[in-house]
């Protein structure tokens, strides 16, 4: 794993150089996603300087939240930021009372959703699926904290969003056909994940089951052309099966699994440029990890070498000007943070990942 360690060290250098650049604050493409990576890096290396960088980024985000005219969406806006802050608190990276900390963001999101009622698309980036991820996460946190009024508010919000999503599905406005290339933003698997979480949290469970019944013929008729898309769809189905027992859907999940060849995914379908979470090996690694966690199936034990070698040998690390924007991208989904986190999780020993003198001058 020497090459992986060297590549991670190289990526850390790029990320450290870009911490003070003008980037968005958001979860998927901005500084909140970057902070999540540095918190994981600090925990694994036990290096206080990485922790200081992560804390500084979160401080900057909170400082700018009140003054910035941010969108409310999940990709770059307030819903994703609230979801990311909740992740940091629940992972014990940050100490905070979520109901107090996110109160202002919640109010701004509620106002937007009230104004945009019945006008939102289905997708994760700026649509209902993203807002459902946010509202269900906030509901789960409120249930844990025992905040009764917030529990009621987020149950009502999530139920309303769920009804709207069901309407769009019936109107065939959900992207259920597989994308031509693997894409983490494919609506269908993401919709299955939010439906499963709504069922687990008992948010209008009867409605969830009706939506799933409506989707069942589509699910049973789909065998994606790409093995990578088969894998992603399988994750969505397995997430549902964890909450709802359905014999027919279970058989289809087993059929999908039998039709997946991971070597084809990593050696043929993922080209040299495809190493991000958004469209490449980092996202597929995350999917396989989640499938292993949900199913406990040894089929989903990772082949780390496939992932690490693909990242190491990518042409993205070339030295010509064409690759400069890539090296300045910080995002979790479409940038270096997600790639670095993938490498970090695949390394058992990271003691040598220390800040060099060049990086020590970075102020956050």
């Amino acid at each position: 794993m020497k090459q992986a360690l060297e590549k991670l060290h190289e990526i850390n250098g790029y990320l450290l150089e870009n911490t003070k650049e003008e980037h968005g604050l958001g979860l998927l493409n901005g500084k909140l996603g970057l902070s999540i990576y540095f918190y994981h890096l600090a925990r694994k290396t036990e290096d206080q300087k990485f922790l200081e960088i992560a804390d500084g980024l979160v401080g900057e985000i909170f400082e700018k939240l009140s003054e910035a005219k941010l969108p409310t969406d999940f990709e770059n806006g307030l819903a994703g930021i609230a979801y990311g802050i909740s992740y940091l608190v629940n992972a014990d990276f940050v100490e905070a009372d979520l109901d107090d900390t996110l109160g202002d963001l919640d109010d701004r999101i509620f106002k937007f959703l009230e104004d945009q009622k019945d006008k939102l698309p289905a997708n994760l980036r700026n649509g209902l699926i993203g807002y459902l991820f946010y509202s269900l996460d906030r509901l789960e946190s409120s249930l844990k904290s025992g905040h009764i009024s917030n529990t009621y508010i987020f149950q009502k919000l999530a139920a309303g969003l769920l009804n709207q999503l069901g309407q769009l599905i019936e109107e065939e406005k959900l992207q259920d056909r597989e994308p031509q290339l693997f894409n983490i933003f494919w609506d269908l698997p993401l919709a299955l994940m939010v439906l499963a979480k709504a069922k687990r949290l008992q948010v209008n469970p009867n409605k969830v089951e009706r939506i799933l019944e409506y989707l069942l013929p589509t699910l049973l008729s789909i065998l994606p052309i790409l093995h990578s898309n088969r894998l992603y769809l399988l994750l969505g189905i397995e997430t549902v099966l964890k909450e709802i027992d359905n014999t027919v859907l279970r058989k289809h999940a087993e059929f999908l699994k039998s039709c997946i060849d991971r070597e084809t995914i990593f050696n043929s379908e993922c080209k040299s440029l495809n190493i991000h979470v958004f469209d490449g090996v980092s996202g597929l690694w995350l999917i396989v990890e989640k499938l292993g966690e949900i199913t406990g199936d040894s089929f989903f034990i990772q082949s780390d070498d496939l992932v690490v070698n693909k990242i190491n040998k990518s042409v993205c690390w070339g030295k010509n000007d064409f690759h400069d924007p890539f090296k300045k991208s910080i995002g979790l989904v479409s940038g270096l943070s997600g790639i670095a986190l993938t490498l970090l999780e695949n390394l058992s020993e990271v003691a040598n990942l220390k800040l060099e003198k060049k990086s020590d001058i970075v102020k956050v």
Side-chain angles (χ1 to χ4, degrees), residues 168-180:
L168 291 186
I169 289 172
E170 290 181 12
E171 294 172 0
E172 298 184 354
K173 294 180 180 178
L174 182 85
Q175 182 207 356
D176 52 16
R177 296 175 63 182
E178 74 164 307
Q180 290 185 333

Side-chain angles (χ1 to χ4, degrees), residues 98-112:
L98 285 173
D99 294 317
D100 290 339
T101 303
L102 299 179
D104 179 61
L105 271 67
D106 292 335
D107 290 343
R108 291 159 71 180
I109 294 168
F110 293 161
K111 185 178 185 305
F112 172 82

